[in-house]
Amino acid sequence: MLLKLSIQSLKKSIKDYAVYFFTLIIGVTIFYLFNAIKSQSAMMEISESKREIIELMNSTMAGVSVFVAIILGFLIIYASQFLMKRRNKEFGLYLLLGMGKRKVSLILFFETVIIGIVSLLVGLVCGVLLSQLTSVFVSSMFEANMKSYRFIFSKEACMRTIMCFVIIYLVEWSDKIRFQIKQTRRVIK
């Protein structure tokens, strides 16, 4: 019943969740892209001096991906709090109608999991496709031999992306529950 209520709530709030959903997709795509560059550049046949430049670019991208993860974490938490404020009265109504805080928290959990899984899958697909385009662009920029080009899916980048977003979601979900309890107390008063 709570899962069904969560899905109905998501459908009803689709306009509010659209920005949040696309933010997550873009975040997953960018994070995968930054982490997949290393595996994309491995197949390039280039000179030794250009290889050093690519190694420097790979290490820079690894550092940038950590920075991107931190920024995305804050962005996701901010967007989540914004959505919570918009739905504050709805959760207060649930509490007034006799639904316990635990059930309201489960509704939020189901919504977060649904949006998280869908945005993670869509973002990974977009990231894989965009990483292929980036690989072609970098290869042409360094005048690499494109005869050896092949489609590459980076398991390492995929696992890093999943781990990063699981951590961000855990932080976001705990923040969402804390925020929801604080806001519903205001509505009830």
Side-chain angles (χ1 to χ4, degrees):
M1 180 179 126
L2 292 177
L3 181 61
K4 192 175 185 179
L5 187 60
S6 297
I7 292 170
Q8 288 174 349
S9 180
L10 280 172
K11 287 179 182 177
K12 186 176 70 174
S13 304
I14 195 78
K15 288 180 184 177
D16 294 334
Y17 275 109
V19 172
Y20 179 64
F21 181 68
F22 288 117
T23 300
L24 291 175
I25 289 173
I26 290 169
V28 171
T29 302
I30 290 171
F31 196 80
Y32 177 86
L33 182 64
F34 281 161
N35 285 289
I37 286 179
K38 183 178 182 179
S39 63
Q40 295 293 336
S41 62
M43 57 91 185
M44 291 174 38
E45 296 175 13
I46 54 174
S47 67
E48 191 61 37
S49 63
K50 290 180 181 176
R51 185 164 304 284
E52 289 174 7
I53 293 171
I54 289 178
E55 289 299 321
L56 177 66
M57 184 178 73
N58 285 337
S59 62
T60 304
M61 288 300 197
V64 169
S65 71
V66 172
F67 179 71
V68 167
I70 292 169
I71 297 296
L72 287 172
F74 284 117
L75 182 63
I76 289 168
I77 289 172
Y78 175 77
S80 176
Q81 287 180 351
F82 173 76
L83 287 172
M84 292 299 297
K85 284 181 183 178
R86 292 185 61 96
R87 298 184 60 207
N88 192 21
K89 291 180 182 176
E90 176 186 346
F91 296 129
L93 182 63
Y94 289 156
L95 291 171
L96 285 172
L97 291 173
M99 188 180 285
K101 290 179 185 176
R102 181 174 166 85
K103 288 186 178 183
V104 173
S105 296
L106 279 172
I107 290 171
L108 287 172
F109 175 75
F110 288 139
E111 289 178 6
T112 303
V113 167
I114 291 167
I115 289 175
I117 290 173
V118 171
S119 62
L120 187 62
L121 292 174
V122 172
L124 282 173
V125 168
C126 291
V128 168
L129 296 175
L130 195 58
S131 72
Q132 302 308 308
L133 271 164
T134 304
S135 179
V136 170
F137 175 72
V138 170
S139 296
S140 67
M141 192 170 79
F142 287 102
E143 299 170 353
N145 183 1
M146 293 298 290
K147 291 179 182 176
S148 63
Y149 175 81
R150 66 186 192 285
F151 183 87
I152 295 177
F153 173 75
S154 174
K155 291 178 186 175
E156 181 183 343
C158 182
M159 292 309 295
R160 281 186 184 178
T161 303
I162 290 170
M163 286 181 1
C164 175
F165 277 85
V166 165
I167 292 169
I168 289 173
Y169 273 103
L170 289 174
V171 170
E172 182 228 354
W173 187 71
S174 65
D175 184 66
K176 192 182 270 189
I177 296 302
R178 182 188 53 78
F179 184 80
Q180 182 259 331
I181 290 171
K182 185 175 89 176
Q183 291 297 99
T184 51
R185 284 183 184 153
R186 285 188 197 163
V187 170
I188 293 173
K189 290 178 184 179

